[in-house]
Amino acid sequence: MDSDLLTRGLLYLSLATVGIPGNIAVIYAFLMALHHELRLLTADAIVLHLALANLLVVAIRCVLEVFATFQIVNVFDDTGCKSVIFVYRTARSLSIWLTFVLSAYQSLSIAPPGSRWAAARDHFAQFLWLIFLIVWIINIFMSSPSIMFAMGAKNNSKLLQNSINVQFCFVNFPSVSMKDANGALQTVRDVVPMTLMTTTSLIILVFLYKHSQQVRAIRGGGGGGGGSSERRAAITVVTLVMLYVVLYGVDNGLWVYTIIVNRAMSSALISDLRIFFSSLYAAMSPIVIIVSNKKVNKHLRCVSFSKSAVSQIK
């Protein structure tokens, strides 16, 4: 096998190796918390939903890219390709929008009690189910073109000039204008939440800075009160948003390039880079959550302790 293909396969395999167990661990920890506490905090419910979306992204895309790299490409017929691409694109966009929802809620959570923003936070928590429903509807609608235009790799004789090769399947657009319109729609779908979550993250950072200055003034220049759970949660959310902005910013920049510049030789490399960077967020975000979330740490440590105790008994 060519060394470039081997490197490609190993990179996607590493993402799957890290991302699948990581997201499963986050999901398990929050389900255990729900089992013991009979409820989840609003932020925890959002993170649980985010981990589910990221698990789908890594499990579908990275695993199938490994199959494609090692030439197990004809594993889907037209129906299978439509289903897989639809689920992947929906999960990928859900990951983006849920990161924005998390950042929006966190920006409301740091509002002082009694303010109108604190009241908005309470309404946010009350209607979280409706927010989830709206986000699902938006992203299902945005991903629907894949149902119409996706086709299996076995039918490559039917390909048009405006097809996109996703290694294990093809997205076969009937015209240039349809392909460009779909690309523009996907870009807007990603850029809108990216802009909004960047704004909310700036609000969080400004608040944290002002708060640390106030604490430092009260304590006469001593150390700030940076150990609060609210502060840790805010820093976690900002870290996730920064990770998203960097990785998906590269992803969308490459996507715009593929729309504007039509070069057959560069399209395969650019496609690989786009998939890698978009999948990298889904694989790395659970690491940030596991390291920074005390509730997740607590339940994962309990599992680790139980396993060690059982092994000692044996």
Side-chain angles (χ1 to χ4, degrees):
M1 174 178 287
D2 183 82
S3 60
D4 291 340
L5 282 177
L6 180 60
T7 302
R8 180 183 187 276
L10 292 176
L11 284 174
Y12 283 117
L13 183 61
S14 65
L15 289 182
T17 303
V18 173
I20 293 176
N23 284 293
I24 289 176
V26 172
I27 293 168
Y28 173 81
F30 281 121
L31 290 179
M32 289 300 295
L34 178 61
H35 174 72
H36 288 100
E37 302 171 15
L38 303 180
R39 63 183 294 270
L40 283 178
L41 299 176
T42 302
D44 293 342
I46 299 172
V47 174
L48 172 59
H49 207 148
L50 176 63
L52 286 168
N54 286 335
L55 177 61
L56 285 174
V57 170
V58 178
I60 291 176
R61 195 61 196 250
C62 292
V63 172
L64 292 180
E65 288 294 337
V66 171
F67 287 166
T69 301
F70 294 106
Q71 300 179 352
I72 313 175
V73 292
N74 295 327
V75 293
F76 293 112
D77 56 12
D78 289 355
T79 302
C81 279
K82 292 178 188 296
S83 301
V84 167
I85 293 178
F86 174 75
V87 172
Y88 166 74
R89 289 190 173 181
T90 302
R92 176 189 177 279
S93 56
L94 276 173
S95 175
I96 299 168
W97 279 87
L98 288 169
T99 305
F100 158 62
V101 170
L102 181 63
S103 65
Y105 178 75
Q106 188 59 50
S107 67
L108 295 175
S109 296
I110 60 178
S115 66
R116 61 180 180 178
W117 296 113
R121 175 190 61 211
D122 296 335
H123 289 303
F124 194 110
Q126 182 180 358
F127 294 103
L128 182 62
W129 66 271
L130 181 60
I131 294 171
F132 282 157
L133 179 62
I134 292 172
V135 168
W136 269 96
I137 291 173
I138 290 173
N139 289 290
I140 287 175
F141 171 76
M142 294 286 192
S143 303
S144 58
S146 60
I147 298 177
M148 296 183 286
F149 303 130
M151 62 185 298
K154 293 179 181 179
N155 295 327
N156 54 16
S157 60
K158 302 178 183 178
L159 293 182
L160 302 175
Q161 184 179 0
N162 307 301
S163 298
I164 297 177
N165 183 358
V166 293
Q167 302 300 331
F168 47 87
C169 295
F170 294 91
V171 182
N172 204 19
F173 293 101
S175 64
V176 176
S177 59
M178 186 69 73
K179 178 181 178 181
D180 292 346
N182 178 73
L185 186 66
Q186 304 300 320
T187 302
V188 169
R189 180 200 63 191
D190 293 353
V191 170
V192 168
M194 182 173 68
T195 303
L196 294 174
M197 75 173 68
T198 302
T199 302
T200 57
S201 295
L202 289 175
I203 293 172
I204 294 171
L205 289 174
V206 169
F207 175 85
L208 291 176
Y209 175 75
K210 289 184 177 179
H211 179 69
S212 65
Q213 293 294 99
Q214 292 171 355
V215 171
R216 190 173 291 111
I218 293 173
R219 297 187 176 185
S228 68
S229 58
E230 293 82 2
R231 182 182 178 86
R232 285 195 301 272
I235 292 174
T236 300
V237 171
V238 171
T239 303
L240 286 172
V241 170
M242 290 176 62
L243 187 64
Y244 161 78
V245 170
V246 172
L247 297 179
Y248 277 108
V250 174
D251 174 18
N252 282 290
L254 292 172
W255 175 246
V256 171
Y257 177 82
T258 59
I259 295 173
I260 297 174
V261 181
N262 185 18
R263 296 179 182 175
M265 291 186 63
S266 63
S267 61
L269 175 61
I270 291 174
S271 177
D272 284 343
L273 290 174
R274 284 193 61 236
I275 296 165
F276 181 79
F277 280 108
S278 61
S279 302
L280 192 58
Y281 174 77
M284 291 181 63
S285 59
I287 298 175
V288 176
I289 296 168
I290 292 171
V291 170
S292 58
N293 190 292
K294 279 193 168 184
K295 187 173 293 185
V296 172
N297 266 299
K298 172 186 173 183
H299 288 288
L300 293 181
R301 281 200 305 269
C302 288
V303 174
S304 177
F305 177 78
S306 300
K307 288 184 178 180
S308 64
V310 170
S311 63
Q312 288 178 3
I313 292 173
K314 290 182 179 180

